[in-house]
Amino acid sequence: MARIIGLLFSALLVLSACSNTMTGPPAGTDGSSSTRIHRIRPNETSTIQYRMLDSVNSLRQASGAAPLTLDSRLNAAAATHSRDMSLQNRPWHFGSDGSSPIDRARRVGYDGTVVGENISETYEDELETLAAWMQDENTRRIILSKEATEMGFAWEQETNGKIWWTMVTGRSGRAADPSS
């Protein structure tokens, strides 16, 4: 199992190297880092969201979990939180108004159960962020949770290139189809 996840993790890193949206000089908080700025173009939203969904589902398949579907309401909750983290300049799970991931999902009409939320403050692209999440036991557990059936994914990019990523996973509130 660990070998399969390791291979998929390596594949994600290779795929992230294929992206040509890294621009500019090295960027770090002190200016000396070799990290490059990943610039997201305005028309890339669905491409990035589905690339992340496909990558997450590949990892889930390797771990024996069912695939997730992208949910527009969870995307909206994730986008709201990414913007709010950027305004607060702080990566944490509570909104500036004290809201939790559950509160934000309810506000956009999500009728399911929130399984978890992963957040990140970085200059890296979505696949590098996913790779980092997979290295941490808590964020990996959210990605691979067999309880989850849906995912929302969004970000806010600041003019300096910093990206605030948010992934929310949930379990549909719709009744399961007894024929499946």
Side-chain angles (χ1 to χ4, degrees):
M1 174 59 80
R3 176 179 255 172
I4 291 172
I5 290 176
L7 288 171
L8 286 172
F9 180 70
S10 297
L12 283 173
L13 288 177
V14 168
L15 286 173
S16 69
C18 296
S19 175
N20 64 355
T21 56
M22 300 299 248
T23 62
T29 55
D30 64 358
S32 64
S33 173
S34 63
T35 302
R36 301 200 61 84
I37 297 173
H38 174 74
R39 292 281 180 198
I40 299 173
R41 295 180 202 108
N43 61 346
E44 290 185 299
T45 300
S46 63
T47 300
I48 291 171
Q49 286 175 326
Y50 281 102
R51 184 168 44 228
M52 178 61 100
L53 179 66
D54 290 344
S55 298
V56 165
N57 282 339
S58 292
L59 293 166
R60 290 175 61 82
Q61 181 181 13
S63 73
L68 302 178
T69 59
L70 203 57
D71 184 272
S72 61
R73 297 162 299 178
L74 291 178
N75 285 342
T80 297
H81 192 53
S82 291
R83 276 189 301 277
D84 193 42
M85 287 190 298
S86 173
L87 291 170
Q88 295 181 72
N89 195 33
R90 154 164 92 169
W92 70 326
H93 293 283
F94 294 98
S96 57
D97 62 356
S99 62
S100 70
I102 295 167
D103 297 329
R104 291 186 293 275
R106 292 287 171 260
R107 286 180 188 162
V108 296
Y110 186 69
D111 58 353
T113 302
V114 172
V115 173
E117 178 183 74
N118 289 338
I119 58 173
S120 181
E121 167 195 15
T122 184
Y123 291 89
E124 298 174 330
D125 70 20
E126 72 280 1
L127 297 180
E128 291 168 311
T129 301
L130 177 59
W133 285 338
M134 288 301 290
Q135 291 178 3
D136 179 84
E137 179 182 336
N138 293 321
T139 52
R140 181 177 57 247
R141 186 177 314 121
I142 290 168
I143 293 164
L144 301 178
S145 172
K146 292 185 179 183
E147 293 178 37
T149 59
E150 299 168 322
M151 179 183 94
F153 183 68
W155 59 90
E156 177 73 16
Q157 185 163 35
E158 297 178 356
T159 56
N160 67 4
K162 185 189 296 184
I163 307 169
W164 300 85
W165 299 103
T166 305
M167 171 193 285
V168 182
T169 59
R171 179 165 193 80
S172 173
R174 295 179 287 273
D177 181 353
S179 65
S180 54

